[in-house]
Amino acid sequence: MRIECIAIGTELLTTRRLDTNSVWIAERLAELGLALHRKTAVGDDRADLKALVEEALRRSDVILCTGGLGPTFDDFTKEVFAEALGSELVEDAQCRAELEAWYAARNRVPSANNYKQVLIPAGAEPLRNPLGSAPGVWWRDPAGFPGRRIVLMPGVPREMKRMWADHVQPRLAALAGAPVHTLRMVVGGVPESTLDERTGPVRKKHCDLEWTILASLTHVEFVVRSGDAAALEAARADLAAELGPDLVCTGSGDLESTVLAMLKARGETLAVAESMSGGLLAARLTAIPGASEAFLGGAVVYSAGAKTQLAAVDPAVLAAHGTISEQTTEALATGIRARLGATWGLAITGNAGPSVDPQGDVERANPVGTCLIAIAGPGGVESRRFVVPGDRPDVQLRAAGWSLDWLRRRLV
Amino acid sequence: MRIECIAIGTELLTTRRLDTNSVWIAERLAELGLALHRKTAVGDDRADLKALVEEALRRSDVILCTGGLGPTFDDFTKEVFAEALGSELVEDAQCRAELEAWYAARNRVPSANNYKQVLIPAGAEPLRNPLGSAPGVWWRDPAGFPGRRIVLMPGVPREMKRMWADHVQPRLAALAGAPVHTLRMVVGGVPESTLDERTGPVRKKHCDLEWTILASLTHVEFVVRSGDAAALEAARADLAAELGPDLVCTGSGDLESTVLAMLKARGETLAVAESMSGGLLAARLTAIPGASEAFLGGAVVYSAGAKTQLAAVDPAVLAAHGTISEQTTEALATGIRARLGATWGLAITGNAGPSVDPQGDVERANPVGTCLIAIAGPGGVESRRFVVPGDRPDVQLRAAGWSLDWLRRRLV
């Protein structure tokens, strides 16, 4: 069975957006044991899209499209498919009702062009979009193309992913062969190249499985696939043994959800004080549903006043050692822990750049990339200093991730 | 002139790896004022590639390929193009000498299949690859396809980029017309569909320009392109007049950088207290270099204790009105403003979900998606309540963006 993805949007052909949707879809297809044969990105141009759709209808059994379902002048995916298949667009009563309910729930009324979104090609089936106003389309055996499946989904990743889970995955699963099992393991605090070497023997021993290593700024992810669940379990056990405490979690979790779950299991709480990371650590923790069960809150101490007022840092410590110092970072961790009555206090200071005054004392002692992290807990307070590569967002993200991984190792 | 990219490699279809080559190439083309019309990723499959090459030859003037130039069995890009164009592969003496020199420099001898790499289609020109063993190909006006340019480059990004700079960029520059100018305008606080309607007349008046609308959760972006700088300026003026105070900025900025710049220009400062958004607003502000010149910091008040301890909220107010209330949100804004001595205090509370207790009093009064934002300033404090769609991260992001846009409108 030949499957292709089509991503629609001029922004995908400029440097403004990467087509991450088709990469995500390729992953989901692989989980179903289905292969993607081609993926194409095309601009918001009727003629270009029409030509591509006509080719795709000739060569592929399943066509998975993202984008061009919105209300604006440059959204015409449904129109183009209807044209290519000689079908009419017909208003779907339920879609219309849901559109109006969607707007009513937000105390707004649809504008005229929103109603374009409730037009569905005759013979096709609308797919509900609980996260947006544009329904998708599932079109099976269109006239003249028996056996074809056409799937039109929104380009907004969160809407596409939800629609995939609710409607597309179950329909494609019916077409899939034997299921492919996927194992995901997240590793913290170890560089990819080191992991690559350390896990070489395990991967060699289980070389009949499909291995992928995905590195990010805060962690490394192993994704292993096989049709043989027992072989996958054997690989998991060997990899877990090799990784030891470096293994953050197995399955769908991440560093944040793992630390929050560990704290919750221990009946402990966390408070943070962030200077250089500016709230990023708190934001990543509170992105996890139920974070409030273990995370009490924190302070973004972007000024001297904030450090003394919110995290109870002694002005004398600040004056004596400066912001980017072990002493101030430890005082922040201790201060926010006491202020919020938390089991653990985590603090981050440093220099994320860009370099403002390379000749200045501060930068000579604390070059761009300098991270100081401190953990205050029942056993007292300690701090670490390290320098990481990358630009401002990289440094902030690494500091947030590494501080969290350090706390995780304390909780193991 | 129609240009397309073809990325060749099964890994582009099976792993989470993004085809970054074609994004980099799109950027270089834009610098030359050349537009990319389509990009396709295809696996290491002869039949698939042949079909794609034959289509591309029919529809595009310039075909830019990456990958499939290596020595192994699954590298056959040159072979497939030669087949499609009825041309022979001929050994290139200089390429052979360079290949042998390349290996000699590494104290190695080429294996038999390495010599495959020095075969160049008759009528095409080899492109040197100082960083690898695979030469590229520049093929102009192949028999039967006058006016076509075919460029075959290695898939290894480092090698491709060097080859582009040395050989491809100068050749394409000769084809480039006048540079294309780009106008970018960011709009806050107006739904995409409303903007689409409102700006319809302006786009109609300037329909000779290339218009793109990019919607995100916190703002909408207009990207307009033209070779005619004066026409673009006229469109900018008309769009700015239509948008009025809804226009956040023109050029490369965003909501965060705009608000920080306005505050700095006025010599004013900002402090935030975030409950529902959990530090996201602070993180977005501190992602901007130099944020500390106007942003003093804030509190992530994810617990009652944090609200009273960090933002000086009167426990009686919390007890009487609860967390998700106008009174508590205004108390947070007033409290953090006073605590940090800021000109402006911005507070966010609400219910980002997921729904925990739909029958509970709190959720009946404050359904998932409820956002309360308050601004405390020299003129006093005021608050707003609204409900937004989406899942947890969406609601948090919208709340952060909308609160910032409200402050921006106060500063205009």
Side-chain angles (χ1 to χ4, degrees):
Chain A
M1 183 166 53
R2 296 185 58 83
I3 303 178
E4 73 175 278
C5 277
I6 297 176
I8 300 151
T10 299
E11 68 276 14
L12 300 172
L13 297 177
T14 68
T15 60
R16 313 198 67 77
R17 294 278 197 287
L18 275 164
D19 167 28
T20 53
N21 283 343
S22 66
V23 180
W24 186 89
I25 288 171
E27 281 292 303
R28 302 290 80 73
L29 289 172
E31 290 166 0
L32 291 169
L34 296 171
L36 180 62
H37 285 79
R38 180 191 287 217
K39 64 182 186 188
T40 309
V42 66
D44 297 313
D45 179 286
R46 256 180 198 276
D48 286 357
L49 181 57
K50 181 106 181 285
L52 174 56
V53 165
E54 287 167 348
E55 298 161 19
L57 283 167
R58 283 193 294 272
R59 70 180 165 232
S60 294
D61 305 298
V62 178
I63 304 172
L64 302 165
C65 287
T66 55
L69 299 183
T72 70
F73 68 94
D74 60 2
D75 295 306
F76 38 65
T77 302
K78 287 180 298 184
E79 292 86 329
V80 167
F81 269 89
E83 266 173 52
L85 290 160
S87 173
E88 292 297 310
L89 286 173
V90 183
E91 179 171 300
D92 182 277
Q94 198 192 340
C95 288
R96 184 189 179 99
E98 282 166 4
L99 179 80
E100 286 168 344
W102 196 88
Y103 275 89
R106 289 154 185 85
N107 302 314
R108 286 165 49 197
V109 290
S111 56
N113 53 9
N114 281 114
Y115 285 99
K116 185 173 105 173
Q117 298 179 283
V118 304
L119 298 174
I120 303 297
E125 174 189 355
L127 301 177
R128 303 186 63 180
N129 177 0
L131 301 180
S133 60
V137 171
W138 170 265
W139 200 346
R140 181 180 175 164
D141 301 324
F145 294 92
R148 300 289 193 288
R149 270 83 168 175
I150 297 164
V151 186
L152 310 183
M153 296 175 283
V156 180
R158 71 187 185 289
E159 297 179 23
M160 182 278 292
K161 292 175 181 177
R162 173 68 182 270
M163 189 175 288
W164 181 277
D166 291 352
H167 304 296
V168 182
Q169 197 274 349
R171 286 170 170 80
L172 291 181
L175 305 177
V180 170
H181 306 282
T182 298
L183 165 70
R184 178 175 173 273
M185 295 172 97
V186 177
V187 186
V190 186
E192 181 187 19
S193 54
T194 309
L195 272 179
D196 188 49
E197 274 190 39
R198 271 178 52 192
T199 61
V202 175
R203 284 181 284 122
K204 195 164 185 177
K205 176 179 174 189
H206 300 279
C207 60
D208 49 327
L209 309 183
E210 179 201 323
W211 290 80
T212 310
I213 301 186
L214 305 161
S216 80
L217 290 175
T218 58
H219 63 276
V220 175
E221 216 177 302
F222 285 85
V223 179
V224 197
R225 288 211 174 80
S226 172
D228 178 344
L232 205 59
E233 168 53 23
R236 186 206 58 75
D238 288 342
L239 196 56
E242 169 57 41
L243 294 172
D246 299 329
L247 175 63
V248 173
C249 62
T250 301
S252 61
D254 57 25
L255 199 47
E256 290 76 12
S257 63
T258 300
V259 168
L260 288 169
M262 290 171 99
L263 288 168
K264 196 177 154 193
R266 297 161 59 112
E268 298 180 343
T269 56
L270 171 66
V272 303
E274 302 182 71
S275 178
M276 177 263 270
S277 55
L280 184 61
L281 175 56
R284 287 174 68 89
L285 287 166
T286 55
I288 308 295
S292 60
E293 292 168 44
F295 180 65
L296 300 181
V300 178
V301 291
Y302 230 57
S303 57
K307 291 177 177 67
T308 56
Q309 287 297 311
L310 301 182
V313 173
D314 179 347
V317 171
L318 260 179
H321 305 286
T323 299
I324 308 175
S325 66
E326 282 73 2
Q327 295 86 345
T328 296
T329 312
E330 292 181 5
L332 284 167
T334 311
I336 199 65
R337 174 176 182 258
R339 182 63 70 87
L340 297 192
T343 319
W344 301 95
L346 199 52
I348 300 173
T349 66
N351 178 3
S355 182
V356 284
D357 173 23
Q359 302 324 315
D361 289 344
V362 172
E363 293 216 359
R364 222 180 292 114
N366 308 289
V368 170
T370 297
C371 304
L372 275 92
I373 56 183
I375 294 182
V381 62
E382 61 177 313
S383 60
R384 288 183 183 179
R385 171 191 289 264
F386 46 91
V387 179
V388 300
D391 58 9
R392 181 179 178 89
D394 289 1
V395 174
Q396 292 174 316
L397 188 52
R398 285 182 198 266
W402 292 28
S403 64
L404 210 49
D405 190 62
W406 187 23
L407 176 59
R408 179 187 66 82
R409 290 165 186 272
R410 291 282 296 269
L411 298 175
V412 164
Chain B
M1 184 165 53
R2 297 184 59 83
I3 303 178
E4 73 176 279
C5 277
I6 297 176
I8 301 153
T10 299
E11 72 278 8
L12 298 170
L13 298 176
T14 57
T15 73
R16 271 183 229 184
R17 202 161 312 129
L18 288 163
D19 165 27
T20 54
N21 281 344
S22 67
V23 177
W24 187 87
I25 288 171
E27 202 173 354
R28 302 288 83 71
L29 289 172
E31 290 167 0
L32 291 169
L34 297 171
L36 180 62
H37 285 78
R38 180 192 287 217
K39 65 182 184 188
T40 309
V42 67
D44 298 312
D45 179 286
R46 247 177 205 278
D48 286 356
L49 181 58
K50 181 109 184 281
L52 174 55
V53 165
E54 286 168 348
E55 298 161 17
L57 283 166
R58 283 194 295 271
R59 68 181 166 231
S60 294
D61 304 299
V62 178
I63 304 171
L64 301 166
C65 290
T66 55
L69 299 183
T72 68
F73 69 94
D74 61 358
D75 295 305
F76 38 65
T77 303
K78 287 180 298 185
E79 292 86 329
V80 167
F81 269 90
E83 268 173 50
L85 290 160
S87 172
E88 293 296 309
L89 287 172
V90 183
E91 180 171 300
D92 182 276
Q94 197 192 341
C95 287
R96 185 189 180 99
E98 281 165 3
L99 179 79
E100 287 168 344
W102 195 88
Y103 274 88
R106 291 157 181 73
N107 301 314
R108 288 161 53 197
V109 289
S111 60
N113 56 6
N114 281 117
Y115 285 100
K116 185 175 107 174
Q117 297 179 283
V118 304
L119 299 173
I120 303 297
E125 175 189 356
L127 300 177
R128 302 186 62 181
N129 177 1
L131 302 179
S133 61
V137 171
W138 170 266
W139 200 346
R140 179 179 175 165
D141 300 325
F145 295 92
R148 299 291 192 290
R149 270 80 169 175
I150 298 163
V151 185
L152 310 183
M153 294 175 285
V156 180
R158 192 177 84 262
E159 299 178 22
M160 182 278 291
K161 292 175 182 178
R162 173 68 183 271
M163 188 175 288
W164 180 278
D166 290 353
H167 305 294
V168 182
Q169 197 274 350
R171 286 170 171 81
L172 291 180
L175 303 178
V180 171
H181 307 283
T182 298
L183 165 70
R184 178 174 172 272
M185 294 173 97
V186 178
V187 186
V190 187
E192 180 186 16
S193 55
T194 309
L195 268 180
D196 184 53
E197 280 199 343
R198 270 180 54 193
T199 60
V202 175
R203 294 197 317 269
K204 199 162 182 175
K205 177 179 173 188
H206 300 278
C207 59
D208 50 326
L209 309 183
E210 179 201 324
W211 291 79
T212 309
I213 299 186
L214 303 169
S216 79
L217 290 174
T218 58
H219 64 276
V220 176
E221 222 177 293
F222 284 86
V223 179
V224 198
R225 290 205 175 76
S226 172
D228 180 343
L232 204 59
E233 167 54 25
R236 187 206 58 75
D238 287 342
L239 196 57
E242 168 57 41
L243 294 172
D246 299 329
L247 175 63
V248 173
C249 62
T250 301
S252 61
D254 57 26
L255 199 46
E256 291 76 13
S257 62
T258 300
V259 167
L260 288 169
M262 291 171 98
L263 288 168
K264 196 177 155 192
R266 296 161 58 113
E268 298 181 343
T269 56
L270 171 66
V272 302
E274 302 182 71
S275 179
M276 178 263 270
S277 57
L280 185 62
L281 175 56
R284 289 174 67 89
L285 287 166
T286 57
I288 308 295
S292 59
E293 292 168 43
F295 180 64
L296 301 181
V300 178
V301 290
Y302 231 57
S303 57
K307 291 177 176 68
T308 55
Q309 286 297 309
L310 301 182
V313 172
D314 179 348
V317 171
L318 260 179
H321 305 285
T323 299
I324 309 176
S325 67
E326 282 73 2
Q327 295 85 344
T328 297
T329 312
E330 293 182 3
L332 284 167
T334 311
I336 199 65
R337 174 176 183 258
R339 183 62 70 86
L340 297 192
T343 319
W344 301 95
L346 199 52
I348 300 172
T349 66
N351 178 2
S355 183
V356 283
D357 174 23
Q359 302 324 314
D361 288 345
V362 171
E363 294 216 357
R364 221 179 293 114
N366 308 289
V368 171
T370 297
C371 303
L372 274 92
I373 57 183
I375 294 183
V381 62
E382 61 177 313
S383 59
R384 288 183 183 179
R385 170 190 290 263
F386 47 91
V387 179
V388 300
D391 56 11
R392 182 180 178 88
D394 293 357
V395 173
Q396 292 174 316
L397 188 52
R398 285 184 199 266
W402 292 28
S403 64
L404 210 50
D405 191 62
W406 186 23
L407 176 60
R408 179 188 66 80
R409 290 165 186 272
R410 290 282 295 270
L411 298 175
V412 162

